[in-house]
Every structure is written in structure tokens, then in C-alpha cells.
Amino acid sequence: MKALNVIMLGPPGAGKGTQAERLAKERGVPKISTGDILREAVQQQTPLGVAAKGLMDAGRLVSDDIMIGIVKERLGRPDTASGFVLDGFPRTVPQAQAFDAFAQDRAPIHVVLVDVSEHELIRRLTTRRICGTCGNNAEPDAQSQATCSRCGGAFVQRADDDEQVVRERLAVYERQTGPLVAHYRTSPSFHRIDGNASAERVAVAIRTALGVSERAMS
Ligand code: AMP
């Protein structure tokens, strides 16, 4: 079967993490979230985590060199042979240029832009809760649920989902990640998806754009 290689692009809060997770699970390929990799490093207090924590808490980006190294190493692992779904990378034009070069032999690489209005992004991010133990997102319609359905951990607000930090993250997105749309827009494997709809409808739109059918999740 042909490999399915996908970059999920979109502002923080667009739901790209949720969609990336869903698609990866359905297709049996790894979801590679650079935010998750960094949060794990912070939790384990590795040198990477110690260096990244302050930047992440302030809503700023970790350096391109570090991020490129992380993703290059991760894509070198055998579990990506039948594809991958990248969430949160590339985030700057230099990251995209480096990625285009080292992933050249993996074409086609689909780029899915999940587009959501700013008002809705702020609402979603400032009310979002994640599991403090495994990082799982709380279901939006179950914000009041006390514990994570996956591991039983308690839900917490991400430090960078504080409203002031959210506004900084959106500004950083506009400035540093926005230009990536121009970088990829003319590619035949670029797909713009309306992310204002429900997660279910967005998932259908993504599958349609990628030309893949629904599969039972394991
Ligand atoms: P995310 O979970 O994708 O919203 O990422 C959380 C934070 O991790 C970001 O606000 C950045 O500080 C950092 N981060 C994640 N991915 C990248 C990346 N590709 N380049 C730079 N910083 C990143």
C-alpha cells in the first residue's frame, strides 16, 4: 500500500492535533507532534526540556536547528515507513525548507491546512483542558469531566493556554507560520480545510481531500 505522508498546518487551537491523532490512528501510522515531544522533554527535565521550557511558557518558538534535528531523527525510525502525520512541524519557512530537502524522497507529502477564525481559536484555547498525566485532550463537550478516559489522570490547563500567552502564540503563528501557507499553497498536494465545523465533519473533509476512505479505528 502507498505510504500516507501528511503535514497538518494551522494555528494553535485549530484542532489539528485532534485530527492528526485521528488520521494517524485510522491509517496505522505514527502521529509526530513536536509539541508533545517537547512537553515530554520538559516533564523529564532533559537538557532539551530545560532549554525549551521558558520559550514554550512564553508562547515563543524553539530554535529551528533543534526542531529540525528532532524531526529528522524521528522520521528516520522504521515505524514511519508506511507514512506519518506531522503535527506542529514545520512551523517556520527555514524548517519547511529543511524538511523539503530531507524528506524529498518521501513525496508526495500532503499539506492539510486547518483554517479557523481567530475568535473561535481564542475561545477554544482558553477553555481547553488536557490530561496532566498523558497529555490527552479533554473532549470539548465534556469539559466538566473530572478525569482522563485514557489514563484516569486529572485535567489541567496547559500553561501556554493562558489568554495572554494564547494571543502571543497566535501572533507568532501569523508572523512565523503564516508564510508557510504561501510556501505550500501552489503544491498539488496542498489542501485547505474549514476547521470551524465539528471534529467529525472536519475529519470527513480531510479524508475526502486526501482521497482515503474511512477505516475502523483499532
Ligand atoms: P504545540 O503543542 O504544537 O502548540 O506546541 C507547543 C509549543 O512547543 C510551541 O508554542 C513552541 O514553543 C514549541 N514548538 C512546538 N513545535 C515547534 C516547532 N516546530 N518549532 C518551534 N517550536 C515549536
Side-chain angles (χ1 to χ4, degrees):
M1 203 181 24
K2 233 173 77 191
L4 183 73
N5 304 317
V6 180
I7 291 173
M8 300 290 294
L9 213 59
K16 60 185 191 311
T18 305
Q19 296 297 337
E21 170 113 33
R22 197 171 170 140
L23 182 65
K25 214 166 167 184
E26 266 183 35
R27 312 308 300 176
V29 298
K31 170 189 122 161
I32 301 172
S33 156
T34 46
D36 286 351
I37 293 172
L38 291 171
R39 277 184 289 279
E40 200 179 310
V42 169
Q43 208 165 25
Q44 294 177 355
Q45 297 184 329
T46 65
L48 168 66
V50 172
K53 186 176 182 335
L55 291 166
M56 292 174 76
D57 284 350
R60 312 246 319 272
L61 296 185
V62 174
S63 83
D64 287 337
D65 284 353
I66 290 178
M67 299 314 301
I68 291 164
I70 290 174
V71 173
K72 199 169 174 182
E73 184 277 328
R74 182 64 188 86
L75 288 183
R77 295 196 211 160
D79 66 342
T80 65
S82 45
F84 54 82
V85 182
L86 264 175
D87 165 27
F89 182 95
R91 219 156 170 134
T92 64
V93 171
Q95 288 180 18
Q97 286 166 337
F99 177 80
D100 292 350
F102 71 69
Q104 209 175 22
D105 55 339
R106 307 191 71 148
I109 293 170
H110 294 275
V111 179
V112 174
L113 170 65
V114 185
D115 231 358
V116 176
S117 69
E118 183 174 309
H119 175 78
E120 174 64 6
L121 292 173
I122 292 175
R123 190 195 65 76
R124 285 187 191 177
L125 287 167
T126 54
T127 58
R128 173 165 75 175
R129 296 292 178 272
I130 64 159
C131 173
T133 308
C134 74
N136 193 20
N137 269 346
E139 292 300 319
D141 53 356
Q143 292 289 353
S144 57
Q145 84 193 67
T147 55
C148 172
S149 56
R150 194 153 73 181
C151 76
F155 284 123
V156 295
Q157 181 172 44
R158 256 171 66 169
D160 60 355
D161 280 346
D162 163 84
E163 181 162 352
Q164 214 175 334
V165 181
V166 161
R167 289 189 184 276
E168 173 64 14
R169 288 164 66 204
L170 292 176
V172 166
Y173 175 81
E174 265 318 301
R175 204 167 53 236
Q176 295 186 273
T177 311
L180 282 191
V181 176
H183 179 85
Y184 285 119
R185 196 173 40 204
T186 52
S187 152
S189 23
F190 176 81
H191 317 277
R192 185 188 293 267
I193 304 289
D194 178 5
N196 291 289
S198 69
E200 191 55 47
R201 287 176 62 173
V202 174
V204 171
I206 292 175
R207 280 199 296 268
T208 305
L210 296 177
V212 298
S213 53
E214 186 173 9
R215 279 196 196 163
M217 290 197 236
S218 53

